């Protein structure tokens, strides 16, 4: 899956660089000029980077990269505190950025926005799974609220110094993508848990998981509908709806086959026990017929499960591609410096 965490990291490490070299400027115009040129430069770099993301990077390499990045962010904060003197002692813009930067560092270290750890999460109890879902959703909301706070600070800084700075005051593509990713993430965590449960013969646990999945599926369709008007590009909405509907259909198809397999397995165990007892009058041909019946129903279920997993794997790969293409098509930054500010 498109790694949301990498996007967030590079969004703000690049923004960090934009004011790293700010010094004690003689006036607000000079400060904003330098600020704007650097910010636009790093936004363009971010756009090019985002277009090239492919999320099949080994976890070990990702973890090494993340550690290097948050250490770099900490160094940048230190440099800002030491070198950026603002304008006539006004350091509100710098301070707003540092607050955002600190939030980024926090999220990097606690990995609260990691959205591809399906296997680890699926091994938890449902109470922990849903607690983590809620935590991630809250952290996404808080993080992007911090981004908007930074944009507000930038606008207010400009007004204070009588300079119009163009700021972003609506949901950006990264936030939109984060919520779309979270929808996909929740379904995949529970689906991974279900697939593991289907390998055993506990109908109650399978039903419990499917019931939880049904609730998340309906929630996902509602949330996807709420996001549909945010962007003219509907590819992510359509991809998530397609995936959720596939999961619903998957469960409706596999559950009856699984239940029949478990029932036949339990019946066959009784017949097998009777057959092995010397005083049980079961003919060999009748027993063999039961063996064939059991194997047929078992194979029908596991063959269907295998075919389903193959189709789902292809669907997930297409979702990855759609996610990547959405970012490529919708990350648009100003190409010219004068679009950042009206300063001459």
């Amino acid at each position: 899956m498109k790694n949301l965490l990498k996007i967030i990291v590079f969004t703000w490490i690049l923004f960090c660089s934009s004011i790293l070299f700010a010094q004690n400027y003689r006036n607000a115009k000079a400060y904003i000029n330098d600020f704007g040129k650097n910010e636009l430069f790093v936004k363009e770099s971010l756009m090019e980077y985002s277009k090239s993301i492919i999320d099949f990077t080994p976890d070990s390499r990702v973890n090494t990269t993340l550690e290097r990045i948050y250490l770099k962010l900490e160094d940048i904060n230190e440099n800002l505190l030491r070198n950026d003197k603002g304008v006539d002692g006004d350091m509100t813009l710098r301070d707003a950025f540092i607050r955002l930067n600190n939030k980024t560092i926090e999220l990097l270290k606690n990995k609260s926005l990691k959205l591809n750890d399906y296997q680890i999460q699926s091994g938890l109890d449902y109470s922990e799974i849903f607690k983590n879902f809620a935590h991630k959703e809250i952290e996404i909301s808080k993080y992007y609220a911090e981004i908007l706070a930074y944009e507000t600070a930038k606008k207010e800084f400009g007004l204070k110094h009588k300079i119009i700075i163009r700021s972003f005051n609506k949901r950006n593509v990264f936030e939109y993508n984060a919520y779309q990713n979270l929808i996909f993430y929740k379904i995949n965590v529970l689906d991974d848990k279900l697939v593991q449960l289907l390998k055993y013969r506990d109908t109650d646990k399978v039903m419990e998981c499917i019931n939880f999945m049904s609730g998340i599926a309906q929630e996902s369709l509602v949330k996807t509908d709420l996001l549909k008007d945010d962007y003219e590009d509907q590819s992510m909405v359509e991809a998530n709806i397609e995936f959720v509907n596939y999961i619903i259909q998957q469960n409706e198809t596999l559950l009856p086959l699984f239940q029949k397999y478990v029932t036949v397995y339990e019946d066959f165990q009784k017949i097998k026990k009777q057959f092995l007892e010397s005083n049980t009058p079961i003919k060999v041909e009748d027993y063999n017929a039961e063996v064939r019946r059991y194997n047929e129903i078992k194979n029908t279920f596991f063959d269907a499960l295998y075919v389903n997993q193959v189709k789902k794997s292809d669907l997930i790969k297409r979702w990855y591609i759609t996610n990547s293409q959405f970012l490529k098509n919708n990350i648009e930054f100003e190409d010219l410096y004068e679009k950042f500010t009206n300063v001459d």
Side-chain angles (χ1 to χ4, degrees):
M1 180 179 58
K2 182 68 56 207
N3 196 317
L4 169 67
L5 194 53
K6 286 194 288 185
I7 296 172
I8 290 173
V9 170
F10 275 83
T11 302
W12 293 110
I13 191 171
L14 290 174
F15 273 115
C16 284
S17 302
S18 70
I19 57 176
L20 176 59
F21 300 106
Q23 301 295 325
N24 191 13
Y25 289 91
R26 64 185 182 278
N27 57 47
K29 181 185 293 187
Y31 184 83
I32 293 301
N33 277 346
D34 195 25
F35 186 95
K37 290 175 183 177
N38 282 290
E39 184 168 315
L40 290 179
F41 171 77
V42 296
K43 282 182 176 180
E44 290 170 357
S45 299
L46 170 63
M47 180 173 64
E48 292 305 314
Y49 168 79
S50 298
K51 287 181 178 180
S52 67
I53 293 175
I54 301 175
D55 188 38
F56 290 104
T57 306
D59 282 345
S60 58
R61 191 185 308 168
V62 171
N63 290 335
T64 299
T65 300
L66 291 180
E67 182 176 1
R68 175 176 54 80
I69 289 171
Y70 77 67
L71 289 174
K72 179 64 175 177
L73 292 178
E74 290 175 338
D75 289 340
I76 289 173
N77 263 5
E78 183 179 346
N79 287 332
L80 288 172
L81 289 169
R82 183 172 60 249
N83 298 322
D84 190 324
K85 306 305 180 182
V87 178
D88 297 327
D90 182 355
M91 295 178 287
T92 54
L93 186 58
R94 182 205 70 172
D95 292 345
F97 179 79
I98 289 176
R99 286 194 297 271
L100 176 60
N101 200 19
N102 283 333
K103 183 63 176 177
T104 304
I105 293 169
E106 175 189 340
L107 294 181
L108 287 178
K109 288 185 174 181
N110 65 29
K111 300 181 179 179
S112 60
L113 292 187
K114 185 175 177 63
L115 295 176
N116 60 1
D117 55 340
Y118 310 135
Q119 188 172 8
I120 294 174
Q121 292 294 319
S122 67
L124 302 175
D125 293 335
Y126 292 109
S127 60
E128 286 298 313
I129 289 175
F130 284 95
K131 180 181 177 180
N132 287 339
F133 286 171
H135 175 71
K136 289 177 184 294
E137 193 150 9
I138 290 170
E139 288 301 308
I140 288 174
S141 177
K142 287 168 59 178
Y143 185 75
Y144 287 100
E146 196 71 46
I147 291 176
L148 287 181
Y150 167 69
E151 292 293 329
T152 299
K154 185 165 63 175
K155 180 178 180 181
E156 291 176 350
F157 182 88
L159 291 174
K160 181 177 180 180
H161 296 280
K162 298 180 174 56
I163 299 172
I164 298 176
I165 306 174
R166 297 187 183 276
S167 58
F168 192 88
N169 58 6
K170 62 181 180 178
R171 179 177 291 166
N172 65 37
V173 66
F174 297 110
E175 182 182 10
Y176 175 87
N177 189 253
Y179 284 116
Q180 293 284 7
N181 273 259
L182 187 59
I183 289 170
F184 185 71
Y185 174 78
K186 289 181 179 181
I187 290 291
N188 272 288
V189 169
L190 291 177
D191 183 64
D192 192 83
K193 193 174 191 69
L194 176 65
V195 171
Q196 296 305 313
L197 290 172
L198 288 172
K199 296 177 181 178
Y200 304 99
R201 291 176 289 272
D202 192 326
T203 304
D204 290 341
K205 288 185 178 180
V206 167
M207 282 300 304
E208 180 183 36
C209 188
I210 286 179
N211 287 336
F212 280 125
M213 290 180 71
S214 296
I216 288 294
Q218 294 307 313
E219 172 194 294
S220 298
L221 292 175
V222 170
K223 289 186 175 180
T224 302
D225 188 63
L226 293 174
L227 293 169
K228 69 180 182 180
D229 295 329
D230 286 5
Y231 278 86
E232 183 176 348
D233 183 344
Q234 296 288 293
S235 59
M236 285 302 300
V237 169
E238 293 168 357
N240 269 334
I241 290 175
E242 181 182 12
F243 187 70
V244 172
N245 285 333
Y246 182 86
I247 292 298
I248 293 173
Q249 182 182 30
Q250 161 196 284
N251 294 350
E252 291 175 347
T253 300
L254 291 179
L255 181 58
L257 296 176
F258 174 78
Q259 291 173 321
K260 187 174 183 180
Y261 158 59
V262 172
T263 299
V264 171
Y265 171 83
E266 292 173 348
D267 291 343
F268 177 68
Q269 295 308 305
K270 296 175 183 178
I271 294 171
K272 183 178 180 180
K273 181 179 179 181
Q274 291 176 356
F275 180 75
L276 294 176
E277 294 177 358
S278 58
N279 60 346
T280 303
I282 298 179
K283 296 180 180 180
V284 173
E285 54 269 27
D286 292 339
Y287 175 74
N288 288 337
E290 290 297 328
V291 172
R292 288 192 295 272
R293 176 171 175 268
Y294 165 67
N295 286 333
E296 179 182 355
I297 292 174
K298 180 185 73 173
N299 291 337
T300 297
F301 166 67
F302 281 104
D303 287 348
L305 179 60
Y306 173 77
V307 171
N308 175 78
Q309 291 299 96
V310 171
K311 290 181 178 179
K312 184 165 55 185
S313 178
D314 290 340
L315 184 60
I316 289 173
K317 288 178 182 177
R318 288 196 286 112
W319 189 95
Y320 292 161
I321 294 171
T322 300
N323 198 7
S324 175
Q325 194 62 48
F326 175 85
L327 286 173
K328 291 178 182 178
N329 293 340
N330 292 280
I331 298 174
E332 297 179 357
F333 297 123
E334 300 91 335
D335 292 326
L336 301 176
Y337 167 58
E338 55 263 26
K339 289 186 178 181
F340 176 82
T341 175
N342 289 345
V343 178
D344 293 329

